[in-house]
Amino acid sequence: PWKMQQTAVPVSQDYGWVILVAVIVIFQYMLQAFVVGVTRSQLFTAKFFKRHFPHLRPPPPLGYPDMGSGIFAQKLSHAEWLKFNNAQRVHYNYLEGISAVLTLLLCGGLFYPIFTAAVGLVYVVGRLCYAIGYMKYGPAGRIMGLVIIDASLLVLLGSTFIGAWTFAGGQTRLSQLLLSLSFS
């Protein structure tokens, strides 16, 4: 009853644009990690450790493993703590969503490569707006970027679903599968 149909997914040359956008997403993520590192280097200096933790020899590089709520961060001023945590939050948020966007780009791009690459670039712009807004104005500054990110993810989700549904045979193939289950 379960006959596996083999079907090749043709990959057009335009899929290269999808891969390029995926690489841009990863590069942007890496840049955000770099921003956190720079922020750490500005805040958790040798002078900082000498003043607040003179017993630590050598002081931990860049304040690791403190992620913004540990004993080192407690010694930051409120403004410094906000700067550090806002940068960290932008990076974490990217990390939380990167697997979804890469999956949608790489799968959806099989069906609609140019459209998917274009929406992927919109996502990148949204991530940039999110990062700048959050680091400059705090959580309220992320809203415009968040709207762009979420809208682009919904469009990617929808187009990937439509492409996969069509490729799988849609309602006709689903009906065939369900009928074969009921008679086996």
Side-chain angles (χ1 to χ4, degrees):
W2 288 94
K3 294 180 184 174
M4 181 77 87
Q5 291 184 355
Q6 293 196 356
T7 306
V9 178
V11 178
S12 77
Q13 185 177 3
D14 290 336
Y15 191 74
W17 295 111
V18 175
I19 295 170
L20 183 61
V21 171
V23 169
I24 291 169
V25 166
I26 293 168
F27 180 71
Q28 187 181 42
Y29 170 76
M30 292 171 62
L31 282 177
Q32 190 56 52
F34 179 75
V35 168
V36 174
V38 168
T39 304
R40 282 182 170 280
S41 71
Q42 293 169 347
L43 299 174
F44 296 115
T45 63
K47 183 179 176 182
F48 170 87
F49 281 104
K50 187 174 182 179
R51 179 175 177 213
H52 297 290
F53 301 96
H55 61 284
L56 290 178
R57 296 282 182 236
L62 303 178
Y64 284 108
D66 197 317
M67 300 304 280
S69 59
I71 60 171
F72 303 143
Q74 291 174 10
K75 300 295 183 181
L76 295 171
S77 71
H78 186 258
E80 291 170 331
W81 182 85
L82 278 176
K83 177 182 179 180
F84 179 55
N85 277 280
N86 287 347
Q88 288 260 94
R89 189 63 212 128
V90 169
H91 182 244
Y92 287 162
N93 185 267
Y94 212 140
L95 177 61
E96 292 163 1
I98 198 167
S99 61
V101 73
L102 289 176
T103 299
L104 292 171
L105 281 170
L106 296 174
C107 291
L110 292 170
F111 309 112
Y112 311 109
I114 297 298
F115 178 78
T116 300
V119 176
L121 287 176
V122 171
Y123 176 87
V124 168
V125 170
R127 277 286 166 198
L128 183 62
C129 294
Y130 183 96
I132 292 169
Y134 205 126
M135 291 190 307
K136 189 169 184 176
Y137 302 109
R142 70 192 161 103
I143 301 303
M144 183 177 68
L146 185 63
V147 168
I148 296 169
I149 291 165
D150 286 349
S152 61
L153 283 172
L154 285 172
V155 170
L156 287 171
L157 182 66
S159 63
T160 302
F161 178 84
I162 290 167
W165 175 259
T166 303
F167 178 71
Q171 186 175 354
T172 303
R173 183 67 181 132
L174 179 61
S175 297
Q176 292 170 349
L177 289 172
L178 291 175
L179 284 174
S180 72
L181 285 175
S182 62
F183 294 115
S184 41

